[in-house]
Every structure is written in structure tokens, then in C-alpha cells.
């Protein structure tokens, strides 16, 4: 019922209906007015005719009664009048002689006779001897003088009659007019509706278009060719729609598209994940959110420059999309395609709306890892990247986009920490470790502020005589509750939360001060300080080193800086740029944990380093693993031919020491000689002869 009422009310309110009703009313009113005018003139004619006729028949009566009146023949006159009143249609009629005596009277009702009072009109007609008549209140009053044949005035005939014919004809006219007007309405109204409907068609078209546009369908053109204002209006509408459409598309692009890669952006990805995850929950299916973070992108980007970096991201996006599309086509189950989005920086996400099981997601994630491992060609160079991927499967790892992305991100961080270029599934324990990491980061911030960091020094000894030839500064954290923590427990966290720069700087200054204090006691022991990638890449790194030396008043030749192999490999130009000015002043450089990276030896030897620190894993395995022994031998032989110094790290046993000595190692560091110790203890170590004992055993 309601829809019908609604439709009717819409029709009633429509312009066509309003115009039709207005036209109908005009037709009706005009017809009625014309008819009324016509009937007024017809009425007037009828009235005149009626008067003429009545007056004529009264005059005839007057002439017929002339003899009887002149003779005062009461009987005849009375009889005559009595008979005539009906045929004349009068209500009142009487005859007077010239002495105003009543000769005959008649009434159409039962009025009593003999009480007549002559009307003024009758008296006047008698007095003047001429015909009188007047009409008032629908009554015709007339008085005709009675003349004899000799033109002698003998009396007067008076009659009063109601003009009933007029009233009847007026009523009939009204009825007729109404009928005609209605008839005209019946004929012209549909015609008017047709014409109005046709005339207002463009307005309807415009209205429909506006309604469509309001429901966001702006992709249309109104076709109105009336040549009038409506066509102008329609054209204006079209221009407005086109502009709105363009603007909306631009807004949509800005809101949902990543402009560097043309991929969906974070917001679009979030919305799509929300929809897909809800659907999966309803239908009992599974899907996955993959969080991707490129390995080494920052460094590559720094060396490429912003423009080329963006191009590289675009290529990465394209490659990821290709892999995802390939997987979509291969899987028959997923009718919904996957979505690749860029969140910003070097972070991408992939939504797999439907997977059969986690192995499905793993397979796709591995394909993505492999695809990114292939070199990218940019400005004639081959650029190598990697990608760490975290996978969160829904619904079990979360049902809303925020949780899913957070969990996938956590898993990604694990993959990255494990060395990158791999995929890792989210596990609920990661939430706990992420929380612990957060606590750790906050505590570490306090640690730096509250001087909870201390530096220990591990001696490096000369193989030939066991004398202390240097010391490596190794940071420790005197945690208020957990005790003394080694760097393995917090360096990674410090790197991730950006505190490593501050910590590294602090260690560098403390180590320089310590070495200067040894020097003041007459011990020239060079101190080696570890430098992390982030610290090394910071703007003004070399200045901060020179600052530390100056502040401690330590000669540069007593400072050695240890860089890892990966730092040296990833950005060789930057290394040379940073290292050279310091080396020129006498600071020496060591490659730490040498042999663990995959870099080519010959390449590394061309870099500006003075010392190779052979990684402790080779030293440890040397006695049991021939491969490890060969690596150590090769490094030592190569260093010798290049006249570079070597330090064998992690020497724990005399056997290891003897093997190293036989192979020509010059320096060693390890628990066999001394564990990392407070600076004051190192002074003791350097002056003590127990070191000699270990070497000479
Ligand atoms: P690293 O530079 O290779 O330092 C040598 C590590 O091996 C030290 O661990 C040391 O205690 C340990 N070590 C020495 N001799 C032996 C041995 O005979 N056997 C065994 N098993 N281990 C031995 P530590 O102090 O825990 O430091 C670990 C790593 O943390 C260092 O490796 C270095 O990469 C990093 N690190 C330490 N201090 C700093 C620092 O101030 N800044 C930065 N960026 N990294 C630091
Ligand atoms: Mg080191
Ligand atoms: Mg090392």
C-alpha cells in the first residue's frame, strides 16, 4: 500500500501533473466564463421578449375590454379578467374605470376580493393615458390604458406577473454551461496532459540525470535538443557532471592510489582487507595478508637518488603484481583476485583473499621472495634487493585489517632479523616478544640517559710473545634488575629504534678516554671500537670520530674502527668516502667477522682496510673442519701477501692457538688470553706476565 501511495504522491507532485491541472482549471474557467457571457445576453433577450409579449397581450386585453369598461359592465369585466389571468400567467390582475372604481379583479391565490388598493403604476397610467411597465424582483408590473374606439380614456388594466420563465431558463443555462465546460475538460484535459508532458520531457530528462548523478553515477551525458533554455541548462549540466566526474576521480586517486607505483595505497588495502576478511569469516574460508619490507633498499636508494629510487620501487611493485597475478591464474579456487599495495617507503602488502591452506600462502610468499632476488636493471646498473615477508592468515591470526597487518608486520620483522630474503608466518608468541622488545627499547632509552652503559675491554695479543697489542671495546649494559647484559641482548633493539647512533658515539668517546688514560700511565695500547652500519652511515660520522679523539686527546693511531663485512660490501663508494679522511689522519680500520659474508675476497682486499678479523666460527671449527682450516689459511696467506694485519677471533684453546701460529697468524683475541674486562683490569693485564704464559704453554 505504501509504495502505491508514494508513487501517487510523486505523480501528484510532478511538474506535468501541476501544469496539467492548471491548464484544466483554465479550460474549465474559460469555457464557463464564455458560456456565462453568452447566457447573460440570451437571458436579456428572453426577458425583453417576455415583456413585449406580456405587454402586447395586456394591450389586446385593454382594447377588448374598451366597451365593457366604458359601460361599467362589472359582470363582464370580472368574468373576463377571471378567465384571462391564467392565460396571461399573471398573479394579480384588475381593471379600473376612469373613476378608479374596480370593475373586475382576479388573483392566482385565494386572496379576498373587494380590498384592492390600486398600484401607483395603474393610477399613473390612468392619469397620463399611456402604457406603463416595470420589472423588479423578478416581477413584471404593467398597466395599459383602456381607450374606446373614439380614443376616449375609460379606464386601465393592471397585471402583475412573475417572470418564472426567466428563472427556469437561467437554471437550464447553468446546467448546460456546466455540462459543456465538463465536456470541454474531458476532451482537452488529456490533450493538455499530452502536450504538457511532451513540453516538459526535457525537464524530466534533466531531473532523472540529476537523480542519477546524486547516486554518484556521473559518467553520463544528457541529450536535450530543444534549442531553448532547457538545452542550455542540459549543456551546463553536462559540463558540470564532466568536471565533477574528473574531480571525483582525482580525489579517489589521491585517497586510494600510491602515486609512485600506481598500486593501491594503505587505505585502499585496509578497506579491501576488511571486506575480504569479513567475507571469509562468514563463508568459513581462509586468506592471508603478506607484509613485505625490502632488504637493503635504503642503502640502494641513497646511492641511486630519489628519482631512480622511485623508479626502482615502481619496478618492484610491477614485479610483485606480476607474481600475484600469475598465482591468481594458477589457482582455480580464488574467484577474487589478489591485491598488491604499497604502504609507503619500501613496505608493500599483498592480500590473498582465498587460500586453500597456509602452504598455499607460503608458496606464493616464496615466489615473491625469489622474484625480488632477481637483479633490477636501473640506469645501466644491476641492483640487488631482497624482501622479508611476514604472513598472517585469517581468520586465525586476526579478523580485522589492523590486527592482520600488525601480525604480518611482526612476522616480517622476524624474517628480517633472521637474515632477510625469506618469508615467516606469524606465531602468537611473536606478540609477546614484540611486547618485550617494546619494554626493552624504553628501558634502553633510560639506560643511555642514566649512565647504565659500561665499556669492557678484551685484549688482543701478539702471537709471537703474548704481549698485549691492543684491546677491543665491547659495550655492556648494567641493567637495574637483569644484571650485566651483553650486546647480543640489546644491540639489535638499539639499531631498530635508532638508539645505536647515540650508544655508538658514547662508546667511542668512552673508549678514547680510556685509551688516553692508559697512555697517561705509559701504556700505548690501541683501542678498537665497533661501528654499526647505521652509525657509520650517519651524516658527520668522521667528524664525530675526530671530535672524540680530540676530546680525549688521543693520537689517531691509537684508534681502530671495526666495520662488518656487509657494511663494506653494500656501499663501497660511501665506505671510501667516510674511511679515507680518517685513515689519512692515522685511524686504522678493521673488517670484523671476516669470512661470514658472501663477498669476494679479492674485492674486499681492494678496500681501504688495515686489519682482517677472522670470524670466531672458523677458529672454533678449525680443529675439526678441514674447510674452516682452509678458509683461515687462505685469509692468512692473502693478508700476508697484501701486508695486512690479521686478528684471529675467539681463540679458546691452546690447540687453536698453535694451529694459528703455525699458519702465520700475527694477532689473536679470545678467552684463552682474556675475557672482556673493565678498563682498569686491562691495565693490569697488559703489565702482567700471565699473558706470556698462555702463549708459551
Ligand atoms: P665482535 O665485534 O665480533 O666482538 C667479539 C665478541 O666475541 C664479543 O662478544 C666477545 O666477548 C666475544 N668473544 C671474544 N673471545 C671469545 C671467545 O674466545 N669465545 C667466544 N665464544 N666468544 C668470544 P660480545 O661482547 O658479546 O659482543 C658481541 C658483538 O656485539 C660484537 O662482536 C660486536 O659486533 C657487537 N658489539 C659489542 N660492542 C659494541 C659496540 O659498542 N657497538 C657496536 N656497534 N657493536 C658492538
Ligand atoms: Mg668487533
Ligand atoms: Mg668479531
Amino acid at each position: 500500500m505504501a509504495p502505491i501511495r508514494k508513487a501517487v504522491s510523486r505523480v501528484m507532485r510532478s511538474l506535468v501533473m501541476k501544469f496539467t491541472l492548471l491548464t484544466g482549471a483554465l479550460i474549465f474557467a474559460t469555457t464557463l466564463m464564455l458560456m456565462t457571457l453568452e447566457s447573460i445576453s440570451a437571458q436579456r433577450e428572453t426577458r425583453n421578449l417576455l415583456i413585449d409579449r406580456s405587454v402586447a397581450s395586456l394591450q389586446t386585453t385593454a382594447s377588448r375590454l374598451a366597451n365593457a369598461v366604458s359601460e361599467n359592465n362589472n359582470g363582464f369585466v370580472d368574468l373576463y379578467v377571471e378567465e384571462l389571468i391564467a392565460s396571461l400567467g399573471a398573479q394579480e390582475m384588475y381593471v379600473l374605470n376612469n373613476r378608479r372604481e374596480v370593475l373586475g379583479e382576479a388573483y392566482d391565490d385565494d386572496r379576498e376580493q373587494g380590498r384592492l388598493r390600486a398600484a401607483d403604476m395603474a393610477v399613473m397610467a390612468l392619469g397620463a393615458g399611456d402604457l406603463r411597465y416595470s420589472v423588479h424582483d423578478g416581477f413584471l408590473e404593467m398597466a395599459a390604458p383602456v381607450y374606446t374606439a373614439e380614443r376616449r380614456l375609460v379606464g386601465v388594466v393592471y397585471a402583475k406577473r412573475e417572470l418564472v420563465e426567466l428563472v427556469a431558463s437561467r437554471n437550464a443555462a447553468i446546467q448546460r454551461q456546466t455540462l459543456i465546460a465538463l465536456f470541454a475538460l474531458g476532451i482537452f484535459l488529456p490533450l493538455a496532459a499530452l502536450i504538457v508532458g511532451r513540453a516538459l520531457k526535457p525537464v524530466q530528462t534533466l531531473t532523472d540525470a540529476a537523480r542519477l548523478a546524486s547516486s554518484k553515477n556521473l559518467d553520463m551525458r544528457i541529450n536535450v535538443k530543444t534549442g531553448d533554455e532547457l538545452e542550455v541548462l542540459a549543456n551546463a549540466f553536462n559540463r558540470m557532471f564532466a568536471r565533477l566526474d574528473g574531480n571525483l576521480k582525482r580525489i579517489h586517486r589521491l585517497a586510494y592510489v600510491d602515486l609512485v607505483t600506481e598500486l593501491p595505497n594503505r587505505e585502499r588495502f585496509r578497506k579491501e582487507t576488511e571486506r575480504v576478511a569479513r567475507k571469509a569469516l562468514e563463508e568459513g574460508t581462509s586468506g592471508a595478508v603478506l607484509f613485505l619490507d625490502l632488504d637493503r633498499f635504503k642503502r640502494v636508494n641513497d646511492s641511486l637518488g630519489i628519482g631512480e629510487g622511485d623508479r626502482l620501487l615502481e619496478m618492484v611493485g610491477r614485479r610483485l603484481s606480476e607474481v600475484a597475478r600469475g598465482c591468481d591464474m594458477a589457482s582455480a579456487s580464488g574467484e577474487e583476485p589478489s591485491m598488491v599495495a604499497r604502504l609507503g617507503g619500501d613496505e608493500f602488502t599483498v592480500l590473498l583473499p582465498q587460500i586453500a591452506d597456509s602452504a598455499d600462502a607460503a608458496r606464493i610468499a616464496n615466489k615473491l621472495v625469489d622474484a625480488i632476488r632477481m637483479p633490477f636493471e636501473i640506469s645501466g646498473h644491476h641492483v640487488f634487493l631482497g624482501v622479508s615477508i611476514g604472513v598472517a592468515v585469517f581468520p586465525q591470526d586476526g579478523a580485522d585489517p589492523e590486527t592482520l597487518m600488525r601480525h604480518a608486520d611482526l612476522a616480517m620483522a622476524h624474517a628480517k632479523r633472521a637474515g632477510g630474503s625469506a618469508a615467516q608466518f606469524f606465531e602468537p608468541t611473536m606478540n609477546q616478544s614484540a611486547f618485550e622488545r617494546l619494554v626493552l627499547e624504553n628501558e634502553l632509552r633510560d639506560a643511555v640517559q642514566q649512565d647504565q652503559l659500561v665499556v669492557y675491554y678484551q685484549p688482543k695479543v701478539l702471537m709471537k710473545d703474548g704481549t698485549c697489542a691492543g684491546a677491543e671495546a665491547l659495550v655492556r649494559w648494567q641493567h637495574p634488575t637483569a644484571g650485566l647484559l651483553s650486546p647480543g641482548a640489546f644491540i639489535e633493539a638499539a639499531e631498530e629504534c635508532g638508539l645505536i647512533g647515540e650508544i655508538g658515539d658514547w662508546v667511542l668517546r668512552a673508549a678514547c678516554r680510556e685509551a688516553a688514560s692508559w697512555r697517561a700511565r705509559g701504556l700505548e695500547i690501541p683501542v678498537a671500537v665497533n661501528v654499526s652500519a647505521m652509525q657509520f652511515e650517519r651524516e658527520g660520522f668522521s667528524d664525530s670520530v675526530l671530535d672524540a679523539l680530540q676530546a680525549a686527546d688521543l693520537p689517531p693511531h691509537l684508534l681502530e674502527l671495526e666495520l662488518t663485512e656487509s657494511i663494506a660490501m653494500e656501499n663501497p663508494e660511501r665506505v671510501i668516502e667516510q674511511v679515507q679522511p680518517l685513515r689519512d689522519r692515522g685511524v686504522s680500520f678493521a673488517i670484523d667477522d671476516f669470512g661470514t659474508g658472501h663477498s669476494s675476497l679479492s674485492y674486499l682486499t681492494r678496500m681501504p682496510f688495515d686489519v682482517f678479523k677472522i670470524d670466531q666460527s672458523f677458529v672454533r671449527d678449525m680443529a675439526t673442519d678441514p674447510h674452516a682450516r682452509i678458509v683461515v689459511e687462505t685469509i692468512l696467506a692473502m693478508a700476508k701477501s697484501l701486508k695486512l694485519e690479521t686478528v684471529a677471533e675467539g681463540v679458546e684453546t691452546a690447540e687453536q692457538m698453535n694451529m694459528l701460529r703455525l699458519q702465520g697468524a700475527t694477532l689473536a683475541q679470545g678467552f684463552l688470553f682474556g675475557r672482556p674486562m673493565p678498563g682498569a683490569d686491562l691495565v693490569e693485564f697488559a703489565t702482567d706476565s700471565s699473558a706470556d704464559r698462555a702463549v708459551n704453554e
Side-chain angles (χ1 to χ4, degrees):
M1 206 54 204
I4 297 175
R5 205 176 317 138
K6 225 170 161 184
V8 169
S9 118
R10 183 165 335 125
V11 170
M12 289 309 288
R13 274 185 284 123
S14 75
L15 265 187
V16 174
M17 185 48 97
K18 281 178 190 160
F19 274 106
T20 306
L21 287 180
L22 184 70
T23 319
L26 278 177
I27 292 171
F28 191 74
T30 315
T31 317
L32 216 58
M33 200 175 73
L34 287 175
M35 297 304 293
T36 310
L37 282 178
E38 191 246 17
S39 100
I40 286 173
S41 79
Q43 286 265 314
R44 191 168 296 144
E45 260 174 50
T46 314
R47 177 174 168 269
N48 290 345
L49 206 67
L50 216 59
I51 292 170
D52 286 352
R53 228 187 276 151
S54 303
V55 168
S57 62
L58 193 73
Q59 276 179 316
T60 311
T61 308
S63 62
R64 290 226 178 107
L65 285 174
N67 287 335
V69 173
S70 69
E71 289 160 9
N72 283 322
N73 187 346
N74 285 34
F76 180 82
V77 174
D78 211 30
L79 210 70
Y80 196 86
V81 170
E82 199 72 61
E83 270 181 20
L84 206 70
I85 188 164
S87 66
L88 226 113
Q91 280 76 48
E92 193 179 330
M93 190 167 175
Y94 50 84
V95 180
L96 307 177
N97 63 15
N98 50 9
R99 290 187 298 278
R100 296 188 201 164
E101 290 159 352
V102 179
L103 296 181
E105 57 185 317
Y107 307 98
D108 72 340
D109 51 16
D110 45 6
R111 222 179 299 171
E112 208 181 315
Q113 299 212 338
R115 296 192 160 194
L116 178 91
R117 213 184 137 260
D120 289 346
M121 183 182 283
V123 176
M124 275 158 70
L126 190 62
D130 53 15
L131 179 79
R132 301 266 159 129
Y133 68 88
S134 75
V135 177
H136 50 86
D137 299 335
F139 283 89
L140 170 66
E141 256 190 293
M142 46 195 175
V146 180
Y147 283 98
T148 60
E150 301 82 35
R151 296 286 312 153
R152 189 166 55 85
L153 181 66
V154 288
V156 65
V157 183
Y158 171 89
K160 182 178 177 182
R161 70 166 300 214
E162 195 180 359
L163 296 171
V164 278
E165 297 88 339
L166 266 187
V167 176
S169 90
R170 192 183 303 137
N171 286 345
I174 288 172
Q175 250 178 37
R176 198 178 60 245
Q177 285 158 13
T178 313
L179 271 176
I180 290 174
L182 284 175
F183 182 69
L185 209 59
I187 287 182
F188 289 114
L189 200 62
L191 211 65
L194 204 76
I195 294 167
V196 169
R198 205 152 290 153
L200 291 183
K201 186 96 205 297
V203 176
Q204 187 64 42
T205 313
L206 285 170
T207 314
D208 290 347
R211 203 173 287 148
L212 258 175
S214 72
S215 62
K216 293 208 183 86
N217 185 354
L218 290 170
D219 197 13
M220 57 162 163
R221 291 292 155 263
I222 310 168
N223 193 12
V224 170
K225 291 271 171 280
T226 49
D228 55 15
E229 290 91 333
L230 287 177
E231 188 175 328
V232 176
L233 187 64
N235 289 339
F237 259 51
N238 282 338
R239 277 196 300 277
M240 186 178 78
F241 287 160
R243 231 187 350 250
L244 265 177
D245 198 27
N247 283 346
L248 274 183
K249 283 190 177 129
R250 239 189 322 278
I251 289 169
H252 186 273
R253 200 169 118 79
L254 286 177
Y256 293 118
V257 176
D258 168 57
L259 300 183
V260 173
T261 58
E262 293 292 324
L263 288 174
N265 67 2
R266 179 189 292 270
E267 186 50 26
R268 174 85 204 288
F269 185 82
R270 203 195 64 76
K271 281 195 164 173
E272 189 63 7
T273 306
E274 191 168 39
R275 183 186 71 75
V276 167
R278 196 185 310 123
K279 192 168 159 223
L281 206 62
E282 282 162 9
E283 295 176 358
T285 55
S286 296
V289 168
L290 276 54
F291 199 108
L292 291 77
D293 188 290
L294 299 178
D295 304 328
R296 286 189 300 281
F297 177 76
K298 199 187 156 322
R299 269 169 230 159
V300 174
N301 193 36
D302 285 350
S303 60
L304 283 178
I306 299 278
E308 297 291 84
D310 281 0
R311 264 192 57 213
L312 182 58
L313 285 172
E314 199 186 324
M315 287 160 106
V316 168
R318 215 172 308 133
R319 212 176 269 186
L320 294 174
S321 303
E322 273 163 24
V323 174
R325 212 172 310 125
C327 294
D328 284 347
M329 289 201 273
S331 83
S333 60
E335 70 256 30
E336 288 222 47
S338 54
M339 176 188 267
V340 178
R342 174 169 174 251
L343 302 189
D346 59 352
E347 289 178 344
F348 291 81
T349 42
V350 178
L351 174 66
L352 304 175
Q354 214 169 17
I355 52 167
D357 49 25
S358 7
D360 218 10
R363 192 173 44 78
I364 295 170
N366 287 334
K367 275 194 183 162
L368 293 169
V369 169
D370 291 344
I372 298 304
R373 240 205 296 245
M374 304 294 285
F376 289 89
E377 205 184 311
I378 198 149
S379 345
H381 295 294
H382 274 125
V383 174
F384 290 88
L385 288 177
V387 65
S388 304
I389 304 184
V391 186
V393 174
F394 51 86
Q396 67 254 39
D397 293 341
D400 59 277
E402 285 74 22
T403 313
L404 282 166
M405 277 161 81
R406 196 179 64 241
H407 286 171
D409 187 10
L410 268 176
M412 182 281 294
H414 276 249
K416 183 142 285 199
R417 248 173 266 143
S421 263
Q424 163 83 51
F425 275 83
F426 168 75
E427 282 159 25
T429 51
M430 288 175 183
N431 256 335
Q432 180 59 26
S433 60
F435 176 70
E436 284 164 2
R437 167 61 62 92
L438 197 69
V439 172
L440 179 73
E441 281 179 13
N442 285 332
E443 286 182 343
L444 196 54
R445 259 175 246 280
D446 292 345
V448 179
Q449 306 288 320
Q450 296 168 6
D451 276 343
Q452 290 172 6
L453 298 180
V454 284
V455 184
Y456 274 34
Y457 299 88
Q458 187 179 31
K460 284 188 274 184
V461 298
L462 266 179
M463 277 291 201
K464 61 175 196 302
D465 58 10
T467 48
C468 181
E472 179 176 5
L474 295 161
V475 70
R476 299 287 179 266
W477 177 6
Q478 190 65 57
H479 192 274
T481 52
L484 196 65
L485 299 180
S486 35
F490 60 91
I491 284 289
E492 200 179 283
E495 273 174 345
E496 271 168 33
C497 70
L499 274 172
I500 190 69
E502 211 173 316
I503 293 176
D505 231 36
W506 183 85
V507 173
L508 180 70
R509 284 168 179 276
C512 288
R513 271 199 309 274
E514 190 68 49
S517 84
W518 298 333
R519 186 165 170 257
R521 288 163 168 232
L523 290 168
E524 289 241 328
I525 308 172
V527 71
V529 178
N530 293 285
V531 177
S532 82
M534 236 172 143
Q535 185 186 357
F536 181 71
E537 274 160 21
R538 280 209 306 188
E539 219 39 62
F541 168 74
S542 30
D543 289 343
S544 71
V545 174
L546 294 175
D547 259 13
L549 284 169
Q550 200 179 2
D553 196 18
L554 184 72
H557 75 271
L558 288 181
L559 178 66
E560 183 172 289
L561 295 176
E562 296 189 7
L563 303 180
T564 60
E565 203 181 313
S566 55
I567 303 180
M569 279 306 293
E570 262 160 31
N571 199 347
E573 288 97 48
R574 179 105 176 116
V575 170
I576 294 169
E577 197 179 296
Q578 295 273 56
V579 165
Q580 211 49 57
L582 292 171
R583 265 190 106 209
D584 291 347
R585 295 186 192 228
V587 177
S588 54
F589 279 84
I591 296 191
D592 204 353
D593 305 339
F594 189 66
T596 49
H598 306 284
S599 38
S600 93
L601 285 179
S602 61
Y603 181 77
L604 268 182
T605 51
R606 270 183 264 135
M607 300 287 291
F609 287 97
D610 311 280
V611 184
F612 286 162
K613 294 190 79 179
I614 303 169
D615 191 64
Q616 44 182 281
S617 61
F618 301 110
V619 175
R620 190 183 57 225
D621 301 340
M622 215 167 42
T624 49
D625 179 1
H627 174 73
R629 202 165 47 234
I630 292 168
V631 172
V632 174
E633 261 174 34
T634 315
I635 297 173
L636 287 172
M638 187 188 67
K640 199 172 175 186
S641 67
L642 290 167
K643 298 198 172 49
L644 292 168
E645 196 133 33
T646 50
V647 179
E649 283 192 280
V651 183
E652 290 184 354
T653 65
E655 191 190 1
Q656 289 165 348
M657 186 194 66
N658 287 328
M659 286 178 84
L660 285 163
R661 200 158 37 185
L662 282 174
Q663 284 169 358
T666 49
L667 285 163
Q669 180 181 349
F671 293 170
L672 179 67
F673 314 106
R675 289 182 176 259
M677 57 188 86
D681 295 359
L682 191 100
V683 175
E684 231 169 84
F685 178 91
T687 47
D688 194 8
S689 54
S690 61
D692 302 301
R693 239 176 287 135
V695 183
N696 297 323
E697 241 167 58

